[in-house]
Amino acid sequence: MDLHSMDTYIKSLIKEAGHRIRNSFLVDITIETKSDANDLVTNIDKEIEQFFISRIRRDFPGHRILGEEGFGDTFEDLDGVVWMLDPIDGTMNFVHQKRNFAISLGIYENGIGKLGYIYDVVNDDLYHGIQGGGAYYNDERLRPLFDTSIEESIVGINATWITPNRYIDHEATIRLVQHVRGTRSYGSAALELAYVASGRMDAYISMRLSPWDIAGGKVIAEEVGAVTSNFKGEPANLMKQDTFIVANPSIHHRILSEYIRLK
Amino acid sequence: MDLHSMDTYIKSLIKEAGHRIRNSFLVDITIETKSDANDLVTNIDKEIEQFFISRIRRDFPGHRILGEEGFGDTFEDLDGVVWMLDPIDGTMNFVHQKRNFAISLGIYENGIGKLGYIYDVVNDDLYHGIQGGGAYYNDERLRPLFDTSIEESIVGINATWITPNRYIDHEATIRLVQHVRGTRSYGSAALELAYVASGRMDAYISMRLSPWDIAGGKVIAEEVGAVTSNFKGEPANLMKQDTFIVANPSIHHRILSEYIRLK
């Protein structure tokens, strides 16, 4: 792959998709429910995924597509070039707020992250990363993350994970909330990854994320030195839903070892 | 007071303050700690409060000023016209993120809210309300809130209040988190009030807010039908720090009666 020309192509594609999403605000949005009321799907989500797929099939016929809405390919491995796409990450925000959502896209070659994009559509803010080439917030290069401490950190964690749940001992996460400087929850995994990459938060953790939620952000975050893994400390598995943490490298291990107790 | 001419004056003043804040990003920020590390104060906070005070003293010499940074007047009552100002609401976000903070300003006459302003400085988004004259997001009039239910609601609540704390029984707020569609925490009371007023969240609750945190947002939120109170259901007391809820009118009572247990 020629990463530079791919990058130019993808930026243009993402901006066009963003334009389509902003235009959709002018018409009503039809909402279906998928598995439960928390998992809202809109027709815009589907349209945008199909827009990406049609362009990728036309311009990169050898590539495969893993998309949240399921119009892409089915996967048994990550061989070759795979586009991992969430056309609207933060669907609940999209529906309720018409903001605080993002297009999330990662391009992987044989399972290795090559290019990552998180596009905050409403603010027209694009975060992107190129493996070995750095991470960027619009045209500004993001700095490597400075060391920090738990006590000085802002951590992205949804209140759900502070309540009794099937994944982790919530008494341990209660201690995390009490020890950090502050917690936030913005409602979009992709934007929260972008916030960690740009030093606006120091960690973000979630109990169940899918490959398309993290694929783009992982490339961006790792370019500034952030560490990503599941809660066992293993590299994120891009074939299935799993626990996920992205953190400043100086606190990643301590969060997992002191504050996360898997059930 | 001539609310219309006051409104024009204040909008211009707020935009000028916002310009000064954005310019401050070009220079380093000196941070002191106030009572604890969570309560960051910057020199910009102070400069902006003093900028407001100098203009108000010059142009409205009979008015009094209640400001977070304490350069204003001391109060034993709310007689006459009082400006309640938080020059930078969401100081931790300001310092860590350089976004997700706001100028918060309410103008009260004999304790009655007349004008309210929340200015999202970085996005140049101004929310404002005029008693009896409606609430606005920039130039767009905000609609009265539609009825909703707990199960369909997005609620702003910081994870801290889901952990054991001195104010409320956290087991009850755990149930709230489990019953609503989703929770968020954006890290600025003023912006979260603005989100409720614009229907992007359905409620926002906090255990300890000061008059300057809520004064502007209260006017805006009430103009679209949102209900504000402390956790006893009493009108917010603008003379002291207190618990606070702003909510869609269809869920305000149910949140307080079923999910908030004061200690």
Side-chain angles (χ1 to χ4, degrees), chain A residues 38 93 96-97 99-100 137 152 158 181 183-186 195 200, chain B residues 38 93 97 99-100 137 152 158 181 183-186 195 200:
Chain A
N38 276 316
N93 285 349
H96 268 70
Q97 305 185 344
R99 61 176 56 199
N100 296 318
Y137 168 60
E152 293 170 296
N158 192 269
R181 176 161 291 167
T183 62
R184 300 286 183 267
S185 181
Y186 291 99
Y195 268 29
R200 297 189 185 118
Chain B
N38 276 317
N93 285 350
Q97 305 186 344
R99 60 176 57 199
N100 297 317
Y137 168 59
E152 294 171 295
N158 192 270
R181 176 161 291 167
T183 62
R184 299 286 182 268
S185 181
Y186 292 99
Y195 268 30
R200 297 190 186 119

PDB file of all heavy atoms in Angstrom, chain A residues 38 93 96-97 99-100 137 152 158 181 183-186 195 200, chain B residues 38 93 97 99-100 137 152 158 181 183-186 195 200:
ATOM      1  N   ASN A  38     -30.860   0.642  23.708  1.00  0.00           N
ATOM      2  CA  ASN A  38     -29.604   1.381  23.790  1.00  0.00           C
ATOM      3  C   ASN A  38     -28.825   1.355  22.484  1.00  0.00           C
ATOM      4  O   ASN A  38     -27.820   2.026  22.342  1.00  0.00           O
ATOM      5  CB  ASN A  38     -28.723   0.804  24.895  1.00  0.00           C
ATOM      6  CG  ASN A  38     -29.086   1.389  26.239  1.00  0.00           C
ATOM      7  OD1 ASN A  38     -29.292   2.590  26.356  1.00  0.00           O
ATOM      8  ND2 ASN A  38     -29.185   0.548  27.243  1.00  0.00           N
ATOM      9  N   ASN A  93     -25.758   9.590  20.760  1.00  0.00           N
ATOM     10  CA  ASN A  93     -25.509  11.031  20.672  1.00  0.00           C
ATOM     11  C   ASN A  93     -26.009  11.596  19.345  1.00  0.00           C
ATOM     12  O   ASN A  93     -26.592  12.690  19.301  1.00  0.00           O
ATOM     13  CB  ASN A  93     -24.017  11.333  20.796  1.00  0.00           C
ATOM     14  CG  ASN A  93     -23.504  11.197  22.227  1.00  0.00           C
ATOM     15  OD1 ASN A  93     -24.273  11.069  23.166  1.00  0.00           O
ATOM     16  ND2 ASN A  93     -22.186  11.226  22.370  1.00  0.00           N
ATOM     17  N   HIS A  96     -29.843  11.809  19.715  1.00  0.00           N
ATOM     18  CA  HIS A  96     -30.344  12.720  20.749  1.00  0.00           C
ATOM     19  C   HIS A  96     -29.757  14.116  20.640  1.00  0.00           C
ATOM     20  O   HIS A  96     -30.378  15.084  21.061  1.00  0.00           O
ATOM     21  CB  HIS A  96     -29.981  12.189  22.139  1.00  0.00           C
ATOM     22  CG  HIS A  96     -31.019  11.320  22.756  1.00  0.00           C
ATOM     23  ND1 HIS A  96     -31.308  10.058  22.297  1.00  0.00           N
ATOM     24  CD2 HIS A  96     -31.854  11.516  23.812  1.00  0.00           C
ATOM     25  CE1 HIS A  96     -32.256   9.524  23.053  1.00  0.00           C
ATOM     26  NE2 HIS A  96     -32.598  10.379  23.975  1.00  0.00           N
ATOM     27  N   GLN A  97     -28.514  14.192  20.171  1.00  0.00           N
ATOM     28  CA  GLN A  97     -27.799  15.469  20.297  1.00  0.00           C
ATOM     29  C   GLN A  97     -27.412  16.087  18.966  1.00  0.00           C
ATOM     30  O   GLN A  97     -27.093  17.266  18.905  1.00  0.00           O
ATOM     31  CB  GLN A  97     -26.512  15.256  21.110  1.00  0.00           C
ATOM     32  CG  GLN A  97     -26.740  14.626  22.476  1.00  0.00           C
ATOM     33  CD  GLN A  97     -25.467  14.539  23.304  1.00  0.00           C
ATOM     34  OE1 GLN A  97     -24.360  14.677  22.787  1.00  0.00           O
ATOM     35  NE2 GLN A  97     -25.634  14.331  24.599  1.00  0.00           N
ATOM     36  N   ARG A  99     -24.670  15.722  17.687  1.00  0.00           N
ATOM     37  CA  ARG A  99     -23.265  16.099  17.897  1.00  0.00           C
ATOM     38  C   ARG A  99     -22.608  15.042  18.775  1.00  0.00           C
ATOM     39  O   ARG A  99     -23.275  14.120  19.226  1.00  0.00           O
ATOM     40  CB  ARG A  99     -23.161  17.464  18.550  1.00  0.00           C
ATOM     41  CG  ARG A  99     -23.804  17.530  19.920  1.00  0.00           C
ATOM     42  CD  ARG A  99     -23.575  18.886  20.526  1.00  0.00           C
ATOM     43  NE  ARG A  99     -24.060  19.905  19.636  1.00  0.00           N
ATOM     44  CZ  ARG A  99     -23.701  21.185  19.678  1.00  0.00           C
ATOM     45  NH1 ARG A  99     -22.844  21.592  20.571  1.00  0.00           N
ATOM     46  NH2 ARG A  99     -24.188  22.064  18.853  1.00  0.00           N
ATOM     47  N   ASN A 100     -21.301  15.189  18.990  1.00  0.00           N
ATOM     48  CA  ASN A 100     -20.571  14.228  19.818  1.00  0.00           C
ATOM     49  C   ASN A 100     -20.627  12.806  19.255  1.00  0.00           C
ATOM     50  O   ASN A 100     -20.726  11.833  19.999  1.00  0.00           O
ATOM     51  CB  ASN A 100     -21.082  14.247  21.272  1.00  0.00           C
ATOM     52  CG  ASN A 100     -20.851  15.578  21.962  1.00  0.00           C
ATOM     53  OD1 ASN A 100     -19.785  16.170  21.803  1.00  0.00           O
ATOM     54  ND2 ASN A 100     -21.833  16.062  22.683  1.00  0.00           N
ATOM     55  N   TYR A 137      -4.106  16.227  14.632  1.00  0.00           N
ATOM     56  CA  TYR A 137      -5.410  16.821  14.883  1.00  0.00           C
ATOM     57  C   TYR A 137      -5.554  17.904  13.826  1.00  0.00           C
ATOM     58  O   TYR A 137      -4.832  18.902  13.871  1.00  0.00           O
ATOM     59  CB  TYR A 137      -5.456  17.398  16.300  1.00  0.00           C
ATOM     60  CG  TYR A 137      -6.637  18.280  16.588  1.00  0.00           C
ATOM     61  CD1 TYR A 137      -7.935  17.795  16.477  1.00  0.00           C
ATOM     62  CD2 TYR A 137      -6.461  19.608  16.985  1.00  0.00           C
ATOM     63  CE1 TYR A 137      -9.019  18.610  16.747  1.00  0.00           C
ATOM     64  CE2 TYR A 137      -7.541  20.426  17.268  1.00  0.00           C
ATOM     65  CZ  TYR A 137      -8.821  19.921  17.146  1.00  0.00           C
ATOM     66  OH  TYR A 137      -9.900  20.735  17.412  1.00  0.00           O
ATOM     67  N   GLU A 152      -3.485  12.673  38.891  1.00  0.00           N
ATOM     68  CA  GLU A 152      -3.613  13.856  38.023  1.00  0.00           C
ATOM     69  C   GLU A 152      -4.443  13.566  36.781  1.00  0.00           C
ATOM     70  O   GLU A 152      -4.572  14.422  35.900  1.00  0.00           O
ATOM     71  CB  GLU A 152      -2.227  14.297  37.543  1.00  0.00           C
ATOM     72  CG  GLU A 152      -1.331  14.834  38.631  1.00  0.00           C
ATOM     73  CD  GLU A 152       0.096  15.020  38.098  1.00  0.00           C
ATOM     74  OE1 GLU A 152       0.736  14.010  37.726  1.00  0.00           O
ATOM     75  OE2 GLU A 152       0.548  16.175  38.055  1.00  0.00           O
ATOM     76  N   ASN A 158     -17.826   5.243  31.536  1.00  0.00           N
ATOM     77  CA  ASN A 158     -19.258   5.474  31.697  1.00  0.00           C
ATOM     78  C   ASN A 158     -19.713   4.993  33.062  1.00  0.00           C
ATOM     79  O   ASN A 158     -19.227   3.997  33.586  1.00  0.00           O
ATOM     80  CB  ASN A 158     -20.043   4.776  30.590  1.00  0.00           C
ATOM     81  CG  ASN A 158     -21.493   5.237  30.577  1.00  0.00           C
ATOM     82  OD1 ASN A 158     -22.353   4.659  31.219  1.00  0.00           O
ATOM     83  ND2 ASN A 158     -21.745   6.334  29.882  1.00  0.00           N
ATOM     84  N   ARG A 181      -8.261  12.443  39.197  1.00  0.00           N
ATOM     85  CA  ARG A 181      -8.667  13.849  39.323  1.00  0.00           C
ATOM     86  C   ARG A 181     -10.110  14.035  38.877  1.00  0.00           C
ATOM     87  O   ARG A 181     -10.856  14.807  39.488  1.00  0.00           O
ATOM     88  CB  ARG A 181      -7.743  14.737  38.495  1.00  0.00           C
ATOM     89  CG  ARG A 181      -8.171  16.201  38.518  1.00  0.00           C
ATOM     90  CD  ARG A 181      -7.073  17.135  38.108  1.00  0.00           C
ATOM     91  NE  ARG A 181      -6.014  17.180  39.105  1.00  0.00           N
ATOM     92  CZ  ARG A 181      -4.820  17.713  38.916  1.00  0.00           C
ATOM     93  NH1 ARG A 181      -4.537  18.270  37.773  1.00  0.00           N
ATOM     94  NH2 ARG A 181      -3.925  17.708  39.881  1.00  0.00           N
ATOM     95  N   THR A 183     -13.509  12.194  36.157  1.00  0.00           N
ATOM     96  CA  THR A 183     -13.963  11.260  35.122  1.00  0.00           C
ATOM     97  C   THR A 183     -14.885  12.000  34.167  1.00  0.00           C
ATOM     98  O   THR A 183     -15.498  13.007  34.527  1.00  0.00           O
ATOM     99  CB  THR A 183     -14.730  10.061  35.712  1.00  0.00           C
ATOM    100  OG1 THR A 183     -15.907  10.541  36.373  1.00  0.00           O
ATOM    101  CG2 THR A 183     -13.866   9.272  36.679  1.00  0.00           C
ATOM    102  N   ARG A 184     -14.959  11.477  32.962  1.00  0.00           N
ATOM    103  CA  ARG A 184     -15.830  12.043  31.940  1.00  0.00           C
ATOM    104  C   ARG A 184     -16.482  10.901  31.187  1.00  0.00           C
ATOM    105  O   ARG A 184     -15.944   9.789  31.147  1.00  0.00           O
ATOM    106  CB  ARG A 184     -15.019  12.878  30.928  1.00  0.00           C
ATOM    107  CG  ARG A 184     -14.270  14.061  31.520  1.00  0.00           C
ATOM    108  CD  ARG A 184     -15.212  15.195  31.864  1.00  0.00           C
ATOM    109  NE  ARG A 184     -14.488  16.355  32.378  1.00  0.00           N
ATOM    110  CZ  ARG A 184     -14.265  16.567  33.679  1.00  0.00           C
ATOM    111  NH1 ARG A 184     -14.675  15.712  34.595  1.00  0.00           N
ATOM    112  NH2 ARG A 184     -13.613  17.648  34.064  1.00  0.00           N
ATOM    113  N   SER A 185     -17.598  11.193  30.534  1.00  0.00           N
ATOM    114  CA  SER A 185     -18.187  10.226  29.618  1.00  0.00           C
ATOM    115  C   SER A 185     -18.853  11.004  28.500  1.00  0.00           C
ATOM    116  O   SER A 185     -19.857  11.684  28.721  1.00  0.00           O
ATOM    117  CB  SER A 185     -19.205   9.341  30.345  1.00  0.00           C
ATOM    118  OG  SER A 185     -19.741   8.409  29.429  1.00  0.00           O
ATOM    119  N   TYR A 186     -18.262  10.924  27.302  1.00  0.00           N
ATOM    120  CA  TYR A 186     -18.743  11.733  26.184  1.00  0.00           C
ATOM    121  C   TYR A 186     -19.680  10.960  25.262  1.00  0.00           C
ATOM    122  O   TYR A 186     -20.337  11.555  24.414  1.00  0.00           O
ATOM    123  CB  TYR A 186     -17.559  12.314  25.416  1.00  0.00           C
ATOM    124  CG  TYR A 186     -16.808  13.362  26.232  1.00  0.00           C
ATOM    125  CD1 TYR A 186     -15.641  13.054  26.910  1.00  0.00           C
ATOM    126  CD2 TYR A 186     -17.318  14.648  26.354  1.00  0.00           C
ATOM    127  CE1 TYR A 186     -14.982  14.000  27.682  1.00  0.00           C
ATOM    128  CE2 TYR A 186     -16.670  15.604  27.122  1.00  0.00           C
ATOM    129  CZ  TYR A 186     -15.500  15.277  27.780  1.00  0.00           C
ATOM    130  OH  TYR A 186     -14.862  16.214  28.556  1.00  0.00           O
ATOM    131  N   TYR A 195      -9.562  11.794  22.257  1.00  0.00           N
ATOM    132  CA  TYR A 195      -9.235  12.659  23.394  1.00  0.00           C
ATOM    133  C   TYR A 195      -7.984  12.153  24.121  1.00  0.00           C
ATOM    134  O   TYR A 195      -7.160  12.954  24.567  1.00  0.00           O
ATOM    135  CB  TYR A 195     -10.423  12.727  24.361  1.00  0.00           C
ATOM    136  CG  TYR A 195     -11.371  13.865  24.079  1.00  0.00           C
ATOM    137  CD1 TYR A 195     -11.547  14.365  22.788  1.00  0.00           C
ATOM    138  CD2 TYR A 195     -12.080  14.464  25.113  1.00  0.00           C
ATOM    139  CE1 TYR A 195     -12.408  15.420  22.556  1.00  0.00           C
ATOM    140  CE2 TYR A 195     -12.941  15.524  24.877  1.00  0.00           C
ATOM    141  CZ  TYR A 195     -13.109  16.003  23.602  1.00  0.00           C
ATOM    142  OH  TYR A 195     -13.947  17.054  23.382  1.00  0.00           O
ATOM    143  N   ARG A 200      -6.219  15.108  26.022  1.00  0.00           N
ATOM    144  CA  ARG A 200      -7.339  15.773  26.707  1.00  0.00           C
ATOM    145  C   ARG A 200      -7.921  14.896  27.796  1.00  0.00           C
ATOM    146  O   ARG A 200      -8.550  15.379  28.732  1.00  0.00           O
ATOM    147  CB  ARG A 200      -8.429  16.152  25.710  1.00  0.00           C
ATOM    148  CG  ARG A 200      -7.931  17.148  24.680  1.00  0.00           C
ATOM    149  CD  ARG A 200      -9.085  17.675  23.843  1.00  0.00           C
ATOM    150  NE  ARG A 200      -8.560  18.522  22.798  1.00  0.00           N
ATOM    151  CZ  ARG A 200      -8.694  18.269  21.505  1.00  0.00           C
ATOM    152  NH1 ARG A 200      -9.364  17.193  21.097  1.00  0.00           N
ATOM    153  NH2 ARG A 200      -8.173  19.088  20.613  1.00  0.00           N
TER     154      ARG A 200
ATOM    155  N   ASN B  38      -8.548  19.224  42.656  1.00  0.00           N
ATOM    156  CA  ASN B  38      -9.674  19.192  41.729  1.00  0.00           C
ATOM    157  C   ASN B  38     -10.186  20.577  41.389  1.00  0.00           C
ATOM    158  O   ASN B  38     -11.030  20.742  40.531  1.00  0.00           O
ATOM    159  CB  ASN B  38     -10.821  18.368  42.310  1.00  0.00           C
ATOM    160  CG  ASN B  38     -10.618  16.893  42.041  1.00  0.00           C
ATOM    161  OD1 ASN B  38     -10.238  16.523  40.942  1.00  0.00           O
ATOM    162  ND2 ASN B  38     -10.858  16.077  43.044  1.00  0.00           N
ATOM    163  N   ASN B  93     -11.567  21.026  32.532  1.00  0.00           N
ATOM    164  CA  ASN B  93     -11.570  20.862  31.073  1.00  0.00           C
ATOM    165  C   ASN B  93     -10.737  21.953  30.398  1.00  0.00           C
ATOM    166  O   ASN B  93     -10.001  21.688  29.446  1.00  0.00           O
ATOM    167  CB  ASN B  93     -12.993  20.929  30.523  1.00  0.00           C
ATOM    168  CG  ASN B  93     -13.787  19.664  30.787  1.00  0.00           C
ATOM    169  OD1 ASN B  93     -13.241  18.650  31.219  1.00  0.00           O
ATOM    170  ND2 ASN B  93     -15.085  19.717  30.525  1.00  0.00           N
ATOM    171  N   GLN B  97      -8.055  20.227  28.488  1.00  0.00           N
ATOM    172  CA  GLN B  97      -8.583  19.968  27.146  1.00  0.00           C
ATOM    173  C   GLN B  97      -8.595  21.194  26.252  1.00  0.00           C
ATOM    174  O   GLN B  97      -8.719  21.067  25.026  1.00  0.00           O
ATOM    175  CB  GLN B  97     -10.026  19.436  27.251  1.00  0.00           C
ATOM    176  CG  GLN B  97     -10.155  18.212  28.142  1.00  0.00           C
ATOM    177  CD  GLN B  97     -11.555  17.628  28.123  1.00  0.00           C
ATOM    178  OE1 GLN B  97     -12.514  18.261  27.700  1.00  0.00           O
ATOM    179  NE2 GLN B  97     -11.675  16.392  28.564  1.00  0.00           N
ATOM    180  N   ARG B  99     -11.068  22.941  25.862  1.00  0.00           N
ATOM    181  CA  ARG B  99     -12.417  22.890  25.260  1.00  0.00           C
ATOM    182  C   ARG B  99     -13.376  22.373  26.318  1.00  0.00           C
ATOM    183  O   ARG B  99     -12.967  22.030  27.417  1.00  0.00           O
ATOM    184  CB  ARG B  99     -12.432  21.989  24.046  1.00  0.00           C
ATOM    185  CG  ARG B  99     -12.033  20.561  24.347  1.00  0.00           C
ATOM    186  CD  ARG B  99     -12.174  19.731  23.107  1.00  0.00           C
ATOM    187  NE  ARG B  99     -11.367  20.304  22.057  1.00  0.00           N
ATOM    188  CZ  ARG B  99     -11.512  20.070  20.760  1.00  0.00           C
ATOM    189  NH1 ARG B  99     -12.471  19.262  20.359  1.00  0.00           N
ATOM    190  NH2 ARG B  99     -10.729  20.594  19.867  1.00  0.00           N
ATOM    191  N   ASN B 100     -14.666  22.326  25.961  1.00  0.00           N
ATOM    192  CA  ASN B 100     -15.685  21.830  26.895  1.00  0.00           C
ATOM    193  C   ASN B 100     -15.752  22.653  28.183  1.00  0.00           C
ATOM    194  O   ASN B 100     -15.968  22.119  29.266  1.00  0.00           O
ATOM    195  CB  ASN B 100     -15.475  20.346  27.220  1.00  0.00           C
ATOM    196  CG  ASN B 100     -15.614  19.461  26.002  1.00  0.00           C
ATOM    197  OD1 ASN B 100     -16.526  19.649  25.188  1.00  0.00           O
ATOM    198  ND2 ASN B 100     -14.711  18.508  25.837  1.00  0.00           N
ATOM    199  N   TYR B 137     -30.332  29.039  20.920  1.00  0.00           N
ATOM    200  CA  TYR B 137     -29.011  28.464  20.640  1.00  0.00           C
ATOM    201  C   TYR B 137     -28.503  29.245  19.442  1.00  0.00           C
ATOM    202  O   TYR B 137     -29.026  29.106  18.338  1.00  0.00           O
ATOM    203  CB  TYR B 137     -29.150  26.978  20.334  1.00  0.00           C
ATOM    204  CG  TYR B 137     -27.917  26.325  19.752  1.00  0.00           C
ATOM    205  CD1 TYR B 137     -26.723  26.336  20.458  1.00  0.00           C
ATOM    206  CD2 TYR B 137     -27.959  25.701  18.507  1.00  0.00           C
ATOM    207  CE1 TYR B 137     -25.593  25.741  19.927  1.00  0.00           C
ATOM    208  CE2 TYR B 137     -26.831  25.091  17.971  1.00  0.00           C
ATOM    209  CZ  TYR B 137     -25.650  25.122  18.683  1.00  0.00           C
ATOM    210  OH  TYR B 137     -24.532  24.540  18.157  1.00  0.00           O
ATOM    211  N   GLU B 152     -36.120   6.387  28.387  1.00  0.00           N
ATOM    212  CA  GLU B 152     -35.643   6.977  27.122  1.00  0.00           C
ATOM    213  C   GLU B 152     -34.655   8.116  27.354  1.00  0.00           C
ATOM    214  O   GLU B 152     -34.214   8.758  26.389  1.00  0.00           O
ATOM    215  CB  GLU B 152     -36.831   7.562  26.348  1.00  0.00           C
ATOM    216  CG  GLU B 152     -37.834   6.549  25.851  1.00  0.00           C
ATOM    217  CD  GLU B 152     -39.077   7.252  25.294  1.00  0.00           C
ATOM    218  OE1 GLU B 152     -39.804   7.913  26.089  1.00  0.00           O
ATOM    219  OE2 GLU B 152     -39.321   7.153  24.080  1.00  0.00           O
ATOM    220  N   ASN B 158     -22.018  12.763  37.048  1.00  0.00           N
ATOM    221  CA  ASN B 158     -20.622  12.326  37.127  1.00  0.00           C
ATOM    222  C   ASN B 158     -20.519  11.031  37.918  1.00  0.00           C
ATOM    223  O   ASN B 158     -21.256  10.818  38.881  1.00  0.00           O
ATOM    224  CB  ASN B 158     -19.762  13.418  37.759  1.00  0.00           C
ATOM    225  CG  ASN B 158     -18.293  13.108  37.588  1.00  0.00           C
ATOM    226  OD1 ASN B 158     -17.664  12.458  38.417  1.00  0.00           O
ATOM    227  ND2 ASN B 158     -17.741  13.529  36.463  1.00  0.00           N
ATOM    228  N   ARG B 181     -31.607   5.389  29.574  1.00  0.00           N
ATOM    229  CA  ARG B 181     -31.000   4.920  28.320  1.00  0.00           C
ATOM    230  C   ARG B 181     -29.495   5.085  28.340  1.00  0.00           C
ATOM    231  O   ARG B 181     -28.760   4.238  27.842  1.00  0.00           O
ATOM    232  CB  ARG B 181     -31.615   5.675  27.139  1.00  0.00           C
ATOM    233  CG  ARG B 181     -30.955   5.306  25.814  1.00  0.00           C
ATOM    234  CD  ARG B 181     -31.815   5.660  24.624  1.00  0.00           C
ATOM    235  NE  ARG B 181     -32.989   4.807  24.558  1.00  0.00           N
ATOM    236  CZ  ARG B 181     -34.043   5.040  23.773  1.00  0.00           C
ATOM    237  NH1 ARG B 181     -34.057   6.119  23.008  1.00  0.00           N
ATOM    238  NH2 ARG B 181     -35.053   4.225  23.762  1.00  0.00           N
ATOM    239  N   THR B 183     -25.976   7.566  30.298  1.00  0.00           N
ATOM    240  CA  THR B 183     -25.491   8.682  31.107  1.00  0.00           C
ATOM    241  C   THR B 183     -24.299   9.315  30.406  1.00  0.00           C
ATOM    242  O   THR B 183     -23.613   8.673  29.613  1.00  0.00           O
ATOM    243  CB  THR B 183     -25.045   8.237  32.516  1.00  0.00           C
ATOM    244  OG1 THR B 183     -23.965   7.313  32.390  1.00  0.00           O
ATOM    245  CG2 THR B 183     -26.195   7.595  33.274  1.00  0.00           C
ATOM    246  N   ARG B 184     -24.087  10.562  30.721  1.00  0.00           N
ATOM    247  CA  ARG B 184     -22.960  11.300  30.171  1.00  0.00           C
ATOM    248  C   ARG B 184     -22.360  12.151  31.270  1.00  0.00           C
ATOM    249  O   ARG B 184     -23.035  12.500  32.237  1.00  0.00           O
ATOM    250  CB  ARG B 184     -23.417  12.246  29.031  1.00  0.00           C
ATOM    251  CG  ARG B 184     -24.059  11.558  27.842  1.00  0.00           C
ATOM    252  CD  ARG B 184     -23.036  10.837  26.992  1.00  0.00           C
ATOM    253  NE  ARG B 184     -23.640  10.222  25.824  1.00  0.00           N
ATOM    254  CZ  ARG B 184     -24.099   8.968  25.783  1.00  0.00           C
ATOM    255  NH1 ARG B 184     -24.031   8.201  26.863  1.00  0.00           N
ATOM    256  NH2 ARG B 184     -24.612   8.479  24.670  1.00  0.00           N
ATOM    257  N   SER B 185     -21.100  12.557  31.074  1.00  0.00           N
ATOM    258  CA  SER B 185     -20.500  13.545  31.960  1.00  0.00           C
ATOM    259  C   SER B 185     -19.527  14.367  31.149  1.00  0.00           C
ATOM    260  O   SER B 185     -18.487  13.858  30.719  1.00  0.00           O
ATOM    261  CB  SER B 185     -19.794  12.853  33.134  1.00  0.00           C
ATOM    262  OG  SER B 185     -19.245  13.843  33.982  1.00  0.00           O
ATOM    263  N   TYR B 186     -19.888  15.622  30.915  1.00  0.00           N
ATOM    264  CA  TYR B 186     -19.085  16.469  30.040  1.00  0.00           C
ATOM    265  C   TYR B 186     -18.116  17.379  30.802  1.00  0.00           C
ATOM    266  O   TYR B 186     -17.239  17.974  30.214  1.00  0.00           O
ATOM    267  CB  TYR B 186     -19.993  17.289  29.121  1.00  0.00           C
ATOM    268  CG  TYR B 186     -20.707  16.402  28.109  1.00  0.00           C
ATOM    269  CD1 TYR B 186     -22.022  15.983  28.306  1.00  0.00           C
ATOM    270  CD2 TYR B 186     -20.044  15.949  26.979  1.00  0.00           C
ATOM    271  CE1 TYR B 186     -22.656  15.143  27.392  1.00  0.00           C
ATOM    272  CE2 TYR B 186     -20.668  15.112  26.065  1.00  0.00           C
ATOM    273  CZ  TYR B 186     -21.971  14.715  26.277  1.00  0.00           C
ATOM    274  OH  TYR B 186     -22.582  13.878  25.384  1.00  0.00           O
ATOM    275  N   TYR B 195     -27.205  21.700  27.549  1.00  0.00           N
ATOM    276  CA  TYR B 195     -27.602  20.473  26.855  1.00  0.00           C
ATOM    277  C   TYR B 195     -29.032  20.076  27.238  1.00  0.00           C
ATOM    278  O   TYR B 195     -29.790  19.613  26.380  1.00  0.00           O
ATOM    279  CB  TYR B 195     -26.624  19.342  27.181  1.00  0.00           C
ATOM    280  CG  TYR B 195     -25.483  19.226  26.199  1.00  0.00           C
ATOM    281  CD1 TYR B 195     -24.993  20.338  25.526  1.00  0.00           C
ATOM    282  CD2 TYR B 195     -24.895  17.997  25.936  1.00  0.00           C
ATOM    283  CE1 TYR B 195     -23.947  20.218  24.623  1.00  0.00           C
ATOM    284  CE2 TYR B 195     -23.847  17.873  25.028  1.00  0.00           C
ATOM    285  CZ  TYR B 195     -23.384  18.982  24.380  1.00  0.00           C
ATOM    286  OH  TYR B 195     -22.360  18.867  23.478  1.00  0.00           O
ATOM    287  N   ARG B 200     -30.641  17.913  24.351  1.00  0.00           N
ATOM    288  CA  ARG B 200     -29.578  16.942  24.049  1.00  0.00           C
ATOM    289  C   ARG B 200     -29.353  15.974  25.205  1.00  0.00           C
ATOM    290  O   ARG B 200     -28.831  14.890  25.015  1.00  0.00           O
ATOM    291  CB  ARG B 200     -28.270  17.669  23.728  1.00  0.00           C
ATOM    292  CG  ARG B 200     -28.403  18.534  22.498  1.00  0.00           C
ATOM    293  CD  ARG B 200     -27.036  19.054  22.060  1.00  0.00           C
ATOM    294  NE  ARG B 200     -27.220  19.980  20.969  1.00  0.00           N
ATOM    295  CZ  ARG B 200     -26.867  21.262  20.998  1.00  0.00           C
ATOM    296  NH1 ARG B 200     -26.296  21.765  22.076  1.00  0.00           N
ATOM    297  NH2 ARG B 200     -27.089  22.025  19.958  1.00  0.00           N
TER     298      ARG B 200
END
